[in-house]
Amino acid sequence: MEHIVIIGNGISGVTAARHIRKLSDHKITIVSAESDYFFSRTALMYIYMGHMTFENTKPYEDWFWKKNRIDLKKGFVNLIDTDTKTLHFENKESLKYDKLIIAAGSKPNKFGWPGQDLNGVQGLYSKQDLENLEVYAPDNNTCKRAVIVGGGLIGIELAEMLHSRNIPVTFLVRESSFWNGVLPESDSAMINREIERNGIDLRLSTNLKEIVSDENDKVKSVIIEETGEEIACDFVGLTAGVSPNINFLKNSTIETHKGVLVNRFLETNISDVFAIGDCAEQREAIGNRRPIEAVWYTGRMMGETIAQSVCGNRIPYKPGHWFNSAKFFDIEFQTYGWVHGKKAKPEYEEQYHWKHQDDNKCITIAYHKDNNEFLGINTFGIRMRHEVFDKWLTEKRSVDFVLSHLKEANFDPEFYTHHEADILKTCNNFYQTA
């Protein structure tokens, strides 16, 4: 019986532990410095907004771990000795392993801004971040204004959270349009308008220069790079992306770059050491996917894959077609396949865009201009069926087929019945002018 040690109790590590237990009688230990038990990180915003309690975010009862013989150890690993297969903890304790799975997740990016470590300045990633939000931004009496730096998904989640407590928010986005490195121009522009409709002070093409401290080492304002404007605030959310949480590996023999380098089997350069989830970096990217994917469902898939491998059934990681989902205030977003933003769009990709007159629903479809092959779709405010698009992408269907069968993918057939004529009319007009 081997001892499998997993560093990290997020979705990747916990999925690996559960599936290893299903497949084997190995001894399993999950190590985490963040929380005693696994919780749904994506639900942090709903705790702050009052929709859930922290207990509601734990998918498993506390007795689950003992019943399934999964040991939990709270502690911070500061050194891994791969020669002796030993973890050394900050409190001087140690732990032996036979196989090690690194699933340490991400940490918020910081770019050396003056004042970035002041009280009242933080990201939104951990349970501790949520607890600090209640200290520095519990209401609009304590927090007269918040400033958010960074235009990604975590940034817009934090804006919605603070807005729910009537805290005025200024949102600094360095790009010329929200998330336009990912979204096509028309999609991004609609989200700009949705952010502003919710009363957020959206500042595009704007960079942070400095975070200013009061006499108690707490934030009191920020300085804008371009204009020198000073904005008084009581809280600063740093949401300029995340990066792999791998600082504890710097003195180990495990090869890293931006993340822990792995092959298609999620194996590192060291025998019996693996990496999964946000902290893993593919040595060679898979198709159009990025080498590092900080996405919930890919972490789960990696956990399932590595469980097979450590239990004797060595299989490669095959994530399939790209998909993702998010929410921009009241607009739900889904993407399947590849629909590139303007800067990343390959020469062969054409895009068809339809927007509803209420300005909170739209569809963007990408296709290959030479053969009309369907490449991907973005939908906003319209719920679609994942399995349908996954099938069409595998079958390499044409964009004409997708448009004529789109109602099959819609959760709400009535919606498509009402808008099919307008969608197809817009499409035909697009073809005639393309």
Side-chain angles (χ1 to χ4, degrees), residues 52-68:
M52 303 177 74
T53 67
F54 183 73
E55 290 302 311
N56 297 149
T57 71
K58 295 193 294 186
Y60 308 103
E61 299 288 350
D62 294 349
W63 49 257
F64 172 89
W65 309 102
K66 184 175 181 180
K67 178 182 177 182
N68 287 277

Side-chain angles (χ1 to χ4, degrees), residues 129-171:
D129 289 334
L130 180 68
E131 292 166 350
N132 284 330
L133 258 177
E134 291 291 359
V135 173
Y136 297 108
D139 51 50
N140 57 10
N141 291 316
T142 303
C143 183
K144 302 297 185 185
R145 176 165 294 275
V147 172
I148 298 172
V149 182
L153 296 180
I154 298 176
I156 202 164
E157 284 184 0
L158 184 53
E160 182 177 357
M161 292 164 63
L162 295 162
H163 180 65
S164 74
R165 296 198 184 184
N166 299 312
I167 295 171
V169 176
T170 295
F171 199 177

Side-chain angles (χ1 to χ4, degrees), residues 256-299:
T256 62
H257 180 233
K258 292 181 179 178
V260 184
L261 291 169
V262 297
N263 60 18
R264 286 290 188 274
F265 295 88
L266 305 173
E267 299 162 336
T268 70
N269 63 306
I270 302 297
S271 178
D272 295 329
V273 178
F274 311 85
I276 59 176
D278 296 15
C279 69
E281 178 180 358
Q282 290 285 328
R283 291 181 182 273
E284 296 180 10
I286 301 173
N288 286 333
R289 289 173 175 268
R290 295 178 178 179
I292 300 171
E293 292 187 319
V295 181
W296 182 89
Y297 82 89
T298 57

Side-chain angles (χ1 to χ4, degrees), residues 114-362:
Q116 67 182 17
D117 296 317
L118 290 172
N119 294 322
V121 180
Q122 64 171 76
L124 178 64
Y125 185 82
S126 68
K127 180 174 181 284
Q128 287 74 24
D129 289 334
L130 180 68
E131 292 166 350
N132 284 330
L133 258 177
E134 291 291 359
V135 173
Y136 297 108
D139 51 50
N140 57 10
N141 291 316
T142 303
C143 183
K144 302 297 185 185
R145 176 165 294 275
V147 172
I148 298 172
V149 182
L153 296 180
I154 298 176
I156 202 164
E157 284 184 0
L158 184 53
E160 182 177 357
M161 292 164 63
L162 295 162
H163 180 65
S164 74
R165 296 198 184 184
N166 299 312
I167 295 171
V169 176
T170 295
F171 199 177
L172 308 184
V173 176
R174 69 177 181 177
E175 291 81 16
S176 58
S177 186
F178 180 84
W179 217 31
N180 65 358
V182 176
L183 296 178
E185 191 172 358
S186 298
D187 296 357
S188 176
M190 189 180 78
I191 299 306
N192 291 341
R193 295 189 292 271
E194 175 69 4
I195 293 169
E196 291 174 333
R197 277 193 292 264
N198 280 274
I200 305 301
D201 174 25
L202 177 63
R203 307 283 189 97
L204 299 172
S205 301
T206 303
N207 287 276
L208 173 68
K209 179 180 180 181
E210 179 184 355
I211 305 170
V212 182
S213 174
D214 67 9
E215 63 277 8
N216 298 314
D217 291 327
K218 182 182 178 300
V219 59
K220 73 171 185 179
S221 64
V222 300
I223 306 293
I224 302 301
E225 177 76 44
E226 288 75 12
T227 63
E229 178 187 359
E230 184 171 7
I231 301 174
C233 59
D234 301 294
F235 176 85
V236 175
L238 299 182
T239 63
V242 295
S243 54
N245 180 28
I246 59 170
N247 287 350
F248 67 100
L249 299 176
K250 62 184 177 182
N251 294 320
S252 77
T253 55
I254 300 166
E255 288 184 1
T256 62
H257 180 233
K258 292 181 179 178
V260 184
L261 291 169
V262 297
N263 60 18
R264 286 290 188 274
F265 295 88
L266 305 173
E267 299 162 336
T268 70
N269 63 306
I270 302 297
S271 178
D272 295 329
V273 178
F274 311 85
I276 59 176
D278 296 15
C279 69
E281 178 180 358
Q282 290 285 328
R283 291 181 182 273
E284 296 180 10
I286 301 173
N288 286 333
R289 289 173 175 268
R290 295 178 178 179
I292 300 171
E293 292 187 319
V295 181
W296 182 89
Y297 82 89
T298 57
R300 177 178 52 78
M301 292 171 71
M302 287 187 203
E304 294 173 0
T305 299
I306 206 62
Q308 293 287 335
S309 292
V310 301
C311 292
N313 180 29
R314 184 173 179 262
I315 60 173
Y317 168 59
K318 294 181 178 179
H321 298 297
W322 170 255
F323 72 93
N324 202 4
S325 62
K327 189 167 77 71
F328 304 100
F329 285 93
D330 293 327
I331 300 178
E332 292 187 6
F333 163 67
Q334 295 172 298
T335 185
Y336 304 96
W338 296 104
V339 183
H340 291 95
K342 184 176 180 180
K343 291 181 181 179
K345 187 162 74 77
E347 185 272 336
Y348 60 79
E349 183 180 319
E350 291 282 3
Q351 296 176 354
Y352 153 71
H353 179 77
W354 170 84
K355 183 174 71 69
H356 190 275
Q357 61 185 8
D358 65 10
D359 201 33
N360 62 15
K361 300 178 186 69
C362 73

